[in-house]
Amino acid sequence: MTETSRISTIEEHPILEYIRRDRLPHIFCSACGIGTVLQSFATALRSLNYDMDNMVIISGIGCTGRASGYFAADSYHTTHGRAIAFATGVKVANPKLKPVVISGDGDLFAIGGNHFIHAARRNVDMLVLCVNNFNYGMTGGQMGPTTPVSAITVTSPDGNIEHPFNLVSVAAASGAVFVARWTALHARRLTKSIEKALQKKGFTFIEVVSPCPTLYDRYNRHGTGLEVMKKYREISVIRNFSDPMQAEIDYRTRIVCGEFVDSEKPEFSDLLEEHGKKLQKGD
Amino acid sequence: MEKPILTGEMFTQGDIAAAEGALAAGCRFFAGYPITPATEIAERMAYRLPRIGGRYIQMEDEIASCTAVVGASYSGLKAMTATSGPGVSLMNETIGLAAMTEAPMVLVNVMRGGPSTGQPTEASQSDIMQAKWGSHGDYEIIALIPSSVQEMFDLTIRAFNLSEQYRVPTFVLADEIIGHMRERLIIPPEDELEIINRKKPTVPPEEYLPFKPETDLVPPMATFGEGYHFYATGLTHDQKGYPVMTDEAQLALVPRLCDKIRKNADKITQAESTETEDAEILLVAYGGEARTAMRAVKDARAEGMKIGLFRPISVWPFPKDQLKDAAANAQQVIVAELNYGQLVGEVERIIRNEVPVHFIPRVCGTPHTPDELMKEIRRRIK
């Protein structure tokens, strides 16, 4: 086969089989990090040849909340913050299913924060992919639980005075068995981490630091999406298995990326099944 | 393995009867959060479900409980939660989601005194309107009100049946009196129970439209993991389940969500009329208060008063035709509720000033005695 004919046989994008093509074009802004995350996720599904009859993709509300609607999979768009609670119901009701929650920092850690820490504590089998763009994009760029101190948003017009969460630290402290952080620049490393997390049984968490060129990065004069990506390249460092408590995330100085936690712990639906089996035998 | 259906007789509490009714209906998933006076339902489920191959989970709050129930329902299990007014206040967000995405689920609300923390251990019927209007937007739910321990069992089964048949969140609205009352419960053999399961799609996945209704206005329901690969959202959606923000999409969806209950109301409504044929005075009462009212009616009949009792068993949808029949000869209607005026408004709306409608409120935690109720009735009748 000649080079030319080989190229001519590629008629469509290799991840399209995982996408609801009748929903394209998507609603995401140009240079938004969500596209990278969805691409990495679909690429991971493809390289694992994941059985899509065993997966449910769930999201909350917000820009990233729209993610679930683009996958040709069983998928559900919950109310604001509740994706993890819904995923817990799915996993417990049918343990063969792997819930994947794709949502934003505000959805998962402000309104949904309680569900996050408790699902991590129980170690309910699911992958939580968090697109962290430091603000509420869908509603026009308000400050949220990850907005850095002094950052400008429409509800912190004179600079944010709140202390933000360090998401990987919250996840690790709550009991997640896999915790990673990448930026939207680290598409390949992100894909590998997603593959790893999908193969683990337990509560797994990946934060993806993402540009929001339309709102957050514009208000804070970070330049275009491309410039934000260049900045990520400049300031991000990879420190696998370093202490997530110390995993700095500061756009001015340093973003510490890597896989911070990869541990084993009995999973909730397994424990529940074991518990039930014992009782059914009359032990 | 223990039996899911404990056929036979037992002397038990209303809350336990609701749990047993759920198991008999095929419920295999419970998510909840402790709250007085409904906790006994969770306690029973925590003990019973793992022993019969079901799943019990105590969640971090009522929002999570109700949301997990919707997740379990979409994953193919009959699922329920149980709570009281403060818990329902939190669950209302998800009640709207369940109504919008047509998730079958049952919620038992053992009503206590409100507002807010109110009187946790006392009886009340003050969540009647909350059940109907608790979440935002136009939607319909079904709510059934038991008056005995036996009805806690029977109506919980019916709640599951209706919820599955119409893909709608269904309430069992019990007052604390019925929740904590102990009396005889008869659980029939399995083959005597009528159990309804949700309709499943009959078309292959590529032809399946998850929100395309059939003539009864209810779409067949695929569940996660069956290969249908469908999408559901709380946003206004088309028959594919995709978000659509047009007038047409809202018009095609929201009236149907209401009409699947309104237009099938004759199959859903349930009521009981006692001594109403020649009744000049019609008393309306439900739940625990209906037991007091029944005694008052018997006593008054013995004294020659032409009085009858109308007991709505489904409050939503309200059995309006049955009320009109029961009130056919009535010159006055008297509504007695353990609240400061809720279902009386619905009765007034149906009676339409044809005869006077009087109201007997009671907002403290104890029910009327039959004598007190009769005294109140005599004060009102002309």
Side-chain angles (χ1 to χ4, degrees):
Chain A
M1 198 182 280
T2 68
E3 194 62 22
T4 323
S5 69
R6 204 163 68 91
I7 289 166
S8 70
T9 60
I10 300 172
E11 282 168 5
E12 57 180 37
H13 197 287
I15 63 158
L16 258 183
E17 65 174 302
Y18 294 97
I19 302 296
R20 289 185 192 280
R21 33 189 109 194
D22 56 351
R23 288 221 59 213
L24 297 177
H26 59 69
I27 64 162
F28 306 120
C29 301
S30 141
C32 168
I34 297 172
T36 309
V37 175
L38 301 192
Q39 159 99 0
S40 289
F41 178 61
T43 306
L45 293 176
R46 188 164 178 262
S47 70
L48 293 175
N49 194 23
Y50 207 93
D51 180 358
M52 296 308 285
D53 285 352
N54 291 337
M55 180 175 282
V56 184
I57 302 173
I58 302 156
S59 55
I61 296 295
C63 295
T64 317
R66 291 301 193 96
S68 60
Y70 293 106
F71 286 95
D74 285 334
S75 40
Y76 194 97
H77 184 207
T78 68
T79 43
H80 200 12
R82 314 301 171 214
I84 289 176
F86 187 92
T88 300
V90 169
K91 186 68 202 180
V92 170
N94 185 353
K96 85 152 190 172
L97 297 171
K98 177 83 167 186
V100 174
V101 170
I102 309 178
S103 225
D105 48 286
D107 183 78
L108 289 167
F109 289 93
I111 192 166
N114 202 29
H115 310 310
F116 182 91
I117 60 174
H118 285 281
R121 171 180 65 79
R122 294 184 188 102
N123 196 28
V124 183
D125 182 37
M126 68 178 77
L127 164 62
V128 178
L129 259 176
C130 174
V131 177
N132 180 6
N133 60 12
F134 309 101
N135 76 148
Y136 290 91
M138 185 66 95
T139 46
Q142 296 78 21
M143 55 82 62
T146 59
T147 307
V149 174
S150 83
I152 307 293
T153 73
V154 285
T155 49
S156 59
D158 303 300
N160 180 35
I161 55 168
E162 292 191 19
H163 303 289
F165 267 145
N166 181 343
L167 302 185
V168 290
S169 167
V170 172
S174 305
V177 293
F178 182 88
V179 178
R181 174 194 287 151
W182 300 107
T183 75
L185 180 76
H186 297 90
R188 286 192 189 85
R189 293 179 194 270
L190 170 62
T191 306
K192 287 287 168 209
S193 282
I194 293 172
E195 285 173 26
K196 234 185 248 184
L198 283 176
Q199 291 175 94
K200 276 189 82 78
K201 192 156 191 194
F203 188 91
T204 56
F205 175 69
I206 303 172
E207 173 188 7
V208 189
V209 176
S210 301
C212 178
T214 306
L215 299 163
Y216 180 79
D217 290 312
R218 182 163 59 89
Y219 297 148
N220 290 285
R221 303 185 182 282
H222 292 164
T224 63
L226 181 64
E227 281 166 321
V228 174
M229 293 291 254
K230 281 182 177 164
K231 182 81 173 178
Y232 287 164
R233 187 172 60 187
E234 188 187 311
I235 61 165
S236 60
V237 293
I238 298 172
R239 296 284 181 272
N240 287 321
F241 297 105
S242 64
D243 179 1
M245 284 289 285
Q246 310 298 326
E248 206 177 344
I249 178 162
D250 187 333
Y251 191 78
R252 289 162 306 183
T253 54
R254 204 158 85 124
I255 298 176
V256 177
C257 297
E259 294 175 356
F260 304 104
V261 176
D262 189 353
S263 60
E264 298 297 329
K265 183 163 87 170
E267 189 273 328
F268 182 73
S269 69
D270 282 346
L271 290 170
L272 210 56
E273 194 156 319
E274 220 172 276
H275 172 74
K277 274 188 183 148
K278 256 189 229 165
L279 292 170
Q280 287 157 32
K281 270 192 252 158
D283 288 3
Chain B
M1 203 186 293
E2 286 189 8
K3 288 182 190 143
I5 303 173
L6 301 178
T7 301
E9 274 185 48
M10 58 171 94
F11 182 73
T12 194
Q13 185 180 73
D15 281 355
I16 304 296
E20 291 302 330
L23 299 179
C27 173
R28 291 296 177 269
F29 182 94
F30 183 100
Y33 188 82
I35 188 167
T36 305
T39 308
E40 293 85 356
I41 302 175
E43 291 170 3
R44 183 72 165 190
M45 289 305 226
Y47 180 85
R48 289 273 281 140
L49 275 170
R51 286 172 169 77
I52 63 166
R55 314 267 171 193
Y56 168 88
I57 179 169
Q58 184 168 308
M59 296 296 284
E60 53 274 15
D61 58 29
E62 285 92 345
I63 302 172
S65 302
C66 199
T67 309
V69 163
V70 175
S73 177
Y74 257 92
S75 303
L77 294 189
K78 288 188 185 178
M80 85 182 289
T81 187
T83 187
S84 191
V88 180
S89 293
L90 294 180
M91 291 181 182
N92 273 322
E93 172 190 307
T94 309
I95 295 298
L97 179 70
M100 189 61 148
T101 60
E102 303 181 68
M105 61 159 285
V106 171
L107 191 163
V108 183
N109 175 2
V110 187
M111 293 180 282
R112 66 191 222 185
S116 188
T117 313
Q119 291 191 306
T121 59
E122 301 293 326
S124 174
Q125 298 178 324
S126 50
D127 303 342
I128 305 297
M129 288 295 164
Q130 183 199 37
K132 178 77 174 76
W133 303 109
S135 203
H136 54 278
D138 287 310
Y139 67 102
E140 291 279 346
I141 50 89
I142 295 172
L144 309 175
I145 300 199
S147 275
S148 64
V149 169
Q150 184 67 48
E151 276 193 348
M152 274 295 255
F153 178 88
D154 296 342
L155 292 181
T156 303
I157 295 180
R158 181 149 200 257
F160 269 98
N161 285 348
L162 292 168
S163 169
E164 291 280 318
Q165 184 171 0
Y166 295 105
R167 291 186 61 179
V168 71
T170 301
F171 287 75
V172 176
L173 278 179
D175 46 58
E176 185 273 346
I177 300 168
I178 304 303
H180 281 165
M181 172 190 289
R182 286 178 186 271
E183 58 186 4
R184 187 167 68 159
L185 168 68
I186 298 172
I187 299 182
E190 190 175 353
D191 57 12
E192 286 175 24
L193 294 171
E194 192 205 357
I195 302 298
I196 297 170
N197 298 316
R198 62 190 74 167
K199 291 187 290 190
K200 301 298 294 176
T202 51
V203 295
E206 58 277 12
E207 287 169 34
Y208 178 56
L209 292 170
F211 296 96
K212 185 184 176 189
E214 296 186 333
T215 52
D216 59 357
L217 303 179
V218 183
M221 186 173 179
T223 49
F224 297 151
E226 292 178 332
Y228 281 87
H229 297 178
F230 63 97
Y231 178 59
T233 171
L235 285 163
T236 294
H237 45 270
D238 60 15
Q239 292 189 346
K240 278 185 183 172
Y242 292 0
V244 184
M245 295 302 113
T246 61
D247 288 2
E248 291 74 18
Q250 183 80 346
L251 267 169
L253 179 64
V254 177
R256 179 178 67 75
L257 294 180
C258 297
D259 287 345
K260 71 178 177 181
I261 303 305
R262 292 183 191 177
K263 291 190 174 166
N264 289 307
D266 58 329
K267 300 183 204 86
I268 301 168
T269 55
Q270 188 178 354
E272 184 185 79
S273 297
T274 307
E275 309 252 26
T276 54
E277 279 128 49
D278 63 342
E280 291 165 5
I281 299 163
L282 182 71
L283 184 56
V284 179
Y286 52 86
E289 183 74 350
R291 298 169 72 107
T292 310
M294 183 68 94
R295 178 73 208 198
V297 164
K298 277 185 184 158
D299 290 350
R301 277 271 167 186
E303 290 170 25
M305 190 191 280
K306 289 197 168 175
I307 184 168
L309 173 66
F310 179 73
R311 177 167 77 94
I313 296 171
S314 67
V315 278
W316 308 119
F318 190 84
K320 58 179 178 194
D321 293 337
Q322 295 95 315
L323 173 65
K324 282 182 194 160
D325 287 349
N329 296 312
Q331 284 143 31
Q332 354 207 359
V333 175
I334 300 173
V335 182
E337 301 181 76
L338 300 182
N339 59 46
Y340 207 51
Q342 297 205 9
L343 206 61
V344 62
E346 192 69 8
V347 173
E348 282 170 344
R349 201 170 71 80
I350 292 156
I351 299 294
R352 286 177 183 273
N353 289 334
E354 283 170 22
V355 295
V357 176
H358 307 289
F359 178 53
I360 301 175
R362 189 161 174 102
V363 286
C364 58
T366 51
H368 289 102
T369 65
D371 286 347
E372 283 169 346
L373 189 59
M374 264 327 292
K375 211 185 282 174
E376 295 288 337
I377 291 168
R378 283 185 208 284
R379 271 181 50 202
R380 282 165 177 82
I381 56 179
K382 305 274 161 14

